[in-house]
Each structure stands twice: as structure tokens, then as C-alpha cells.
Amino acid sequence: MANKSDIHYISQVLSGNVEAYSTIVSRHQNFIYTLVLRMVKNKQDAEELTQDTFITAFDKLAAYRREAQFTSWIYTIAYRKALDHLKKQKVACVLDEIDSVPIHKLGAVDNALEQMEKKEAREIIQFNIFKLSPKMSSIITLYYYQNLSVKEISKITSLSVNNVKILLHRGRNKLFISINQQLISEYIQQ
Amino acid sequence: MIKKEHHKKALDEFTDKWITQSGLHSPSTDLNWLVMQNIQKKTQNSVYTSLLSKKALISIFIFFLCLPVLLYLFVPSSTDNYVGWNLFPWIPLRAFSLHIPFSNIAIYGLFFLAFFYIQIPFLKLYIDRKLSV
């Protein structure tokens, strides 16, 4: 049996079948939690913000216009909630320094990660994504996990297309440098 | 320039491979339950309750339904009215008259008000049927 689309469940909810919203929550909770967690960098806050996102989305469901994808719409809510939270926490958005990327080491880093246990490699990647700034990590997450275009990400984050491209480029560079440095330091320790 | 593009592409492929392999984080197992609890509380709170009870509404409806009949039976007739009080002259209504002076305009007004209230339940049924999904 084919999975029913989000629109099907939204219509159910708007007809009065509130229980149908539970399916929408199950489908999207992992990604939204990941997106928010990588921005706020705190599990408890990320849980609360994820809940708030779904509750706000439910409240505004009647106003959802089907011009945009439902996923883009709900990711926008999540992103804005995370940003508002960061503003309240007065977390300074520090400009990331641009280091030179040792691109010749790309193959070596790739091999090193391949040879590790999958779980260990995952932890290294996740740890280093956490080191990125909230905007950078959110853009990287949206681009690579959901295969969203730069234009779609620009609408979600309210950043210009050029800004998104720059942050994406810097994010990739910084992530690679960070992973490279961690692998070098672990190798030296061994 | 070509080298730069090649590096950019290589870095993009590296990032794509390892980011998707790193997977997503999972929230707590009761997140769905907590969200649904919250939503159900909200939907319960917003149930509409009418100001008047059903009994009161039915009584008002019956009163206005009977009003034209009561007016016809008990309001004393006058020679220059248009409602036709003299339709049933053999019925001895004078014995029941209330001796309250009503102008014709007041009588017409009460008639129209009564018919207006009578049509409300039918209008409500129509709107409910039209707007139900």
C-alpha cells in the first residue's frame, strides 16, 4: 500500500480527524529535531522547540496554502523558532573564519572514515556538524538531507540566494577542515 | 579555474556522502504523544457552547410559531385592517379579546418578526450542510 501524502492527512485534520496529525508528526519529527538540534546545540531545548513547531503548525494548518511544499512550510516554522530561541539566549552569531582547505587530503580523510566502524564515523560527522554555526549547520542539513535547492533554502531561511550559496560553501569547507583536524589529532594520540 | 571547480565538486561529493551516512537524530519516544496531548486539550477547549439551552431555544421557537395564530385569534379586529380578521365571522372571538389596542403596523411587524425567527433553524441546517466537508 503506497504511503499517503501529507496533503491527504492535512485534509483529514481539517475535516475534524485530529488523530491524523499524529502521522504527520511521526513522519517529520526526526528531521525537524535534527535541524533544530544542530542550531541550538542543546537536546532539551531542541525537544521543546520541536514540540512547539508541531503545535504551531497545527494552529496554522488552516492557513497553509498549498503553493509551497508542506515540508518547506513546516521547516520554515522550525527554523524561525530556533532562531528566535537563539536570539533570546543572546547567542552571538560569530563569523566563521575561512581557513584554507587542504583539498589534497580529501582522499585520505575519506579512506580514514571508510575504515572506521560506521557508528564511529557517524559520531565524528555529527560532532563536527555541531561545531558549525546555527545558520551554516541548518543550511547543510536542509541541502544534503532533504535535497532542497538553494532557492528553496533561501525561502525557508529568508536569506538571499547568494548568502545561502556562500554559507553552503563555507559550511562544507569548515566541516572538512574540522573532520581533518580531529582525525589528525586522534592519529597523533594513537 | 577548472581545478577550482574540480575541488569544489570533490568537496561537495565528500560532504554529500558523509552527511547522509551520518543519519538523523531521534527525539524522545513520547514526543508524538506530548504533541497530540497538547493539541487535544486545545481542540476540547474550543468546543462551542450556545448561550441558550436547547429547551429555551425550542420554547422561543414555539412561541414565535404561535404568535401569528395568537395575534389572529385574540387581537380585536378593526374596520381598516388588511389582515382579514373577518375571515371567520361566525367564530365568537370578541369574548376572548384582550382589549389591547394594536396598530396595523405593529401587527405586521410582529408577523414578520415571527416569520423571521421561524426561518432561523432552516437556515442553520442549510448552512451546516453546505459548509460540512
Side-chain angles (χ1 to χ4, degrees):
Chain A
M1 192 172 139
N3 277 342
K4 290 177 182 166
S5 69
D6 289 332
I7 301 296
H8 167 80
Y9 291 106
I10 290 167
S11 306
Q12 293 261 303
V13 172
L14 293 172
S15 311
N17 178 15
V18 175
E19 290 302 321
Y21 195 67
S22 174
T23 310
I24 294 176
V25 176
S26 312
R27 265 190 195 177
H28 300 291
Q29 63 179 12
N30 285 356
F31 182 77
I32 288 173
Y33 176 72
T34 303
L35 177 68
V36 171
L37 180 61
R38 285 177 179 172
M39 289 179 75
V40 304
K41 320 230 191 266
N42 179 290
K43 283 187 177 178
Q44 210 173 348
D45 291 345
E47 284 260 354
E48 275 177 31
L49 288 168
T50 307
Q51 277 184 47
D52 279 348
T53 299
F54 283 112
I55 292 165
T56 304
F58 177 82
D59 289 341
K60 293 184 178 180
L61 211 56
Y64 162 60
R65 288 177 218 162
R66 295 170 194 196
E67 295 155 0
Q69 290 262 4
F70 174 72
T71 45
S72 300
W73 182 75
I74 202 167
Y75 296 161
T76 308
I77 297 172
Y79 178 83
R80 285 182 188 167
K81 285 212 177 268
L83 265 190
D84 289 342
H85 175 81
L86 289 168
K87 279 180 193 165
K88 279 182 196 165
Q89 301 274 309
K90 294 182 185 173
V91 172
C93 287
V94 179
L95 282 171
D96 297 285
E97 292 163 16
I98 308 166
D99 295 330
S100 60
V101 180
I103 209 79
H104 58 281
K105 292 191 178 178
L106 199 64
V109 171
D110 192 40
N111 283 337
L113 289 169
E114 284 275 12
Q115 281 170 29
M116 284 179 191
E117 294 277 333
K118 271 192 176 170
K119 191 183 169 189
E120 203 184 336
R122 244 179 66 191
E123 280 169 7
I124 286 175
I125 305 292
Q126 286 179 358
F127 175 73
N128 286 289
I129 292 173
F130 259 67
K131 285 185 182 176
L132 298 174
S133 69
K135 285 185 181 173
M136 240 182 233
S137 62
S138 62
I139 287 169
I140 291 263
T141 306
L142 288 165
Y143 188 81
Y144 287 106
Y145 279 101
Q146 294 295 320
N147 295 319
L148 294 178
S149 65
V150 169
K151 202 176 174 187
E152 283 168 320
I153 296 173
S154 159
K155 280 185 188 165
I156 290 169
T157 57
S158 304
L159 295 166
S160 67
V161 167
N162 277 340
N163 253 351
V164 171
K165 284 181 183 173
I166 289 166
L167 285 167
L168 192 57
H169 176 68
R170 285 183 184 173
R172 279 193 287 249
N173 289 353
K174 214 168 161 59
L175 186 64
F176 175 71
I177 290 165
S178 184
I179 293 169
N180 183 48
Q181 282 172 351
Q182 184 177 351
L183 290 176
I184 288 171
S185 66
E186 280 178 8
Y187 177 72
I188 289 167
Q189 277 172 10
Q190 284 171 5
Chain B
M1 186 73 172
I2 297 168
K3 207 177 175 183
K4 209 176 176 182
E5 281 301 313
H6 172 75
H7 287 158
K8 202 176 168 186
K9 195 183 172 192
L11 191 58
D12 183 33
E13 283 168 6
F14 170 85
T15 314
D16 189 18
K17 177 183 169 184
W18 289 108
I19 290 218
T20 45
Q21 279 197 28
S22 71
L24 296 172
H25 297 273
S26 298
S28 61
T29 48
D30 60 354
L31 182 118
N32 198 333
W33 181 81
L34 287 167
V35 168
M36 293 313 292
Q37 280 279 99
N38 215 301
I39 284 169
Q40 271 152 11
K41 267 187 205 165
K42 280 182 176 222
T43 47
Q44 275 164 14
N45 287 343
S46 63
V47 168
Y48 168 75
T49 50
S50 62
L51 283 168
L52 297 168
S53 68
K54 214 171 182 179
K55 274 186 188 170
L57 283 168
I58 290 169
S59 313
I60 292 169
F61 174 74
I62 292 169
F63 171 73
F64 278 105
L65 194 67
C66 299
L67 194 61
V69 176
L70 290 170
L71 283 171
Y72 181 79
L73 289 175
F74 295 111
V75 169
S77 62
S78 65
T79 51
D80 53 310
N81 67 68
Y82 300 101
V83 183
W85 299 117
N86 296 321
L87 276 176
F88 308 107
W90 58 88
I91 298 171
L93 293 173
R94 281 186 190 261
F96 301 109
S97 80
L98 297 168
H99 299 290
I100 298 166
F102 274 102
S103 71
N104 288 339
I105 294 166
I107 293 164
Y108 297 142
L110 284 167
F111 255 113
F112 283 115
L113 191 67
F115 284 124
F116 172 76
Y117 279 111
I118 287 164
Q119 77 173 334
I120 286 176
F122 299 105
L123 201 61
K124 187 183 179 301
L125 265 167
Y126 172 76
I127 290 168
D128 285 343
R129 232 180 281 137
K130 198 98 175 146
L131 294 178
S132 65
V133 178

